[in-house]
């Protein structure tokens, strides 16, 4: 699958964005319920995280027009349909907080209700969805804390951290017709074993507090943009398994 990316360079302060040249990489379509969420959309589409969306874009004529317009506008963006001029730089503070991986909940069976719900309207059985997300959610980084510009990974009882600065965003165009945006941060610290780049994807395209996110990390900025099968996913650490399942089923 071909996708093209564009890089918007600049600092966190509001400024003009320069769109870089197109590049081609291969990506699979997204079979995504936004981290296992079960969404109802009028069209299913594939996303950079390898997740499946199914949102309902239908109008309720009894609703206020402005409410419907706002709801559908946000739903379109969430589904990956937006214009370049709608995208804005985002600060690392959008993802500030204490986050936990959902992978352990998949392993212990807590996410089975999510997969069963997806199977009701999806193209896979609950078992097949579980296998699919097993690959997507897999990670050894079970907790991430973001405080100011410092990002800390917790893995196997050990922690490591570094400070990161904004390095622009990339727009990914998918074969299915929808698009995604990854917001990229870079560390210049040479004495850390943290990844040189981290890339956030949470289906938002302008500054807003994240409620969960998918994170890609590594030392090769461009190679990360080709990663579409493994998308470690994080929710607030204060949520227990029931809370995470509830959040996933509610969207």
């Amino acid at each position: 699958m071909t996708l093209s990316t564009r890089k918007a360079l600049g600092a966190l302060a509001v400024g003009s964005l320069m769109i870089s040249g197109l590049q081609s990489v291969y990506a699979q379509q997204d079979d995504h319920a936004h981290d296992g969420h079960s969404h109802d959309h009028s069209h299913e589409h594939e996303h950079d995280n390898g997740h499946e969306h199914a949102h309902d874009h239908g109008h309720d004529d009894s609703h206020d027009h402005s409410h419907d317009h706002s709801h559908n506008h946000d739903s379109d963006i969430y589904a990956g349909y937006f214009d370049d001029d709608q995208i804005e730089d985002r600060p690392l503070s959008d993802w500030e907080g204490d986050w936990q991986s959902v992978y352990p909940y998949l392993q212990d069976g807590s996410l089975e209700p999510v997969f069963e719900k997806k199977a009701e309207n999806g193209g896979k059985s609950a078992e097949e969805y579980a296998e699919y997300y097993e690959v997507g959610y897999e990670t050894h980084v079970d907790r991430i804390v973001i405080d100011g510009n410092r990002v800390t990974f917790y893995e196997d009882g050990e922690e490591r951290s570094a400070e990161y600065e904004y390095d622009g965003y990339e727009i990914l165009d998918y074969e299915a017709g929808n698009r995604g945006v990854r917001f990229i941060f870079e560390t210049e610290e040479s004495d850390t074993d943290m990844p040189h780049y981290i890339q956030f994807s949470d289906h938002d395209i302008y500054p807003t507090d994240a409620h969960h996110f998918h994170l890609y990390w590594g030392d090769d900025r461009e190679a990360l943009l080709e990663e579409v099968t493994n998308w470690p996913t994080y929710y607030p650490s204060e949520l227990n398994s029931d809370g995470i399942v509830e959040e996933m089923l509610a969207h």
Side-chain angles (χ1 to χ4, degrees):
M1 176 184 302
T2 300
L3 56 83
S4 55
T5 62
R6 300 181 180 177
K7 176 182 179 183
L9 299 175
L12 290 176
V14 176
S16 61
L17 301 178
M18 298 181 63
I19 303 301
S20 63
L22 297 174
Q23 63 177 9
S24 297
V25 295
Y26 289 96
Q28 74 175 51
Q29 285 188 325
D30 195 18
D31 195 2
H32 168 91
H34 195 42
D35 318 337
H37 292 284
S38 179
H39 301 283
D40 279 339
H41 272 270
S42 62
H43 49 269
E44 286 192 352
H45 62 277
E46 305 292 332
H47 199 49
D48 68 297
N49 301 311
H51 311 299
E52 177 182 89
H53 291 276
H55 287 270
D56 183 0
H57 287 271
H59 289 272
D60 182 343
D61 292 335
S62 66
H63 287 186
D64 178 75
H65 173 74
S66 61
H67 171 80
D68 284 342
H69 177 78
S70 175
H71 171 76
N72 288 307
H73 172 76
D74 292 342
S75 294
D76 284 342
I77 292 175
Y78 190 87
Y81 297 92
F82 50 82
D83 297 324
D84 288 1
D85 60 7
Q86 293 177 272
I87 306 169
E88 299 178 19
D89 291 311
R90 296 177 66 181
L92 189 57
S93 59
D94 276 7
W95 299 277
E96 191 164 44
D98 193 321
W99 305 88
Q100 62 177 321
S101 167
V102 300
Y103 185 51
Y105 297 114
L106 182 150
Q107 292 181 302
D108 69 13
S110 297
L111 301 186
E112 287 182 7
V114 177
F115 303 139
E116 291 171 357
K117 181 66 175 179
K118 286 180 60 58
E120 293 177 5
N121 300 307
K124 299 181 179 71
S125 68
E127 292 76 15
E128 288 172 328
Y129 276 117
E131 292 173 0
Y132 179 80
Y133 283 94
E134 168 75 26
V135 176
Y137 289 160
E138 183 178 8
T139 182
H140 294 293
V141 178
D142 52 17
R143 180 185 175 206
I144 297 176
V145 174
I146 301 173
D147 183 11
N149 288 333
R150 182 159 292 276
V151 178
T152 304
F153 281 9
Y154 292 82
E155 180 177 354
D156 298 328
E158 302 291 333
E159 65 179 83
R160 50 194 169 114
S161 68
E163 291 194 353
Y164 286 83
E165 298 296 334
Y166 187 54
D167 190 45
Y169 61 75
E170 296 283 353
I171 304 171
L172 283 67
D173 294 331
Y174 310 120
E175 190 174 276
N178 62 312
R179 307 196 297 166
V181 180
R182 292 198 197 173
F183 294 90
I184 303 171
F185 294 82
E186 176 183 17
T187 183
E188 296 293 346
E189 297 181 19
S190 59
D191 58 347
T192 180
D193 55 358
M194 285 289 283
H196 193 68
Y197 294 99
I198 55 177
Q199 300 182 356
F200 290 88
S201 175
D202 62 3
H203 309 279
D204 285 307
I205 62 173
Y206 40 67
T208 186
D209 290 340
H211 299 288
H212 74 277
F213 59 85
H214 317 288
L215 193 67
Y216 307 78
W217 61 81
D219 296 329
D220 188 325
R221 191 183 193 278
E222 301 305 318
L224 280 180
L225 297 172
E226 300 182 38
E227 175 57 72
V228 293
T229 59
N230 177 236
W231 12 266
T233 300
Y234 296 85
Y235 276 77
S237 290
E238 65 263 24
L239 292 178
N240 60 18
S241 60
D242 290 339
I244 289 176
V245 169
E246 181 178 355
E247 286 290 315
M248 289 182 171
L249 292 176
H251 291 80

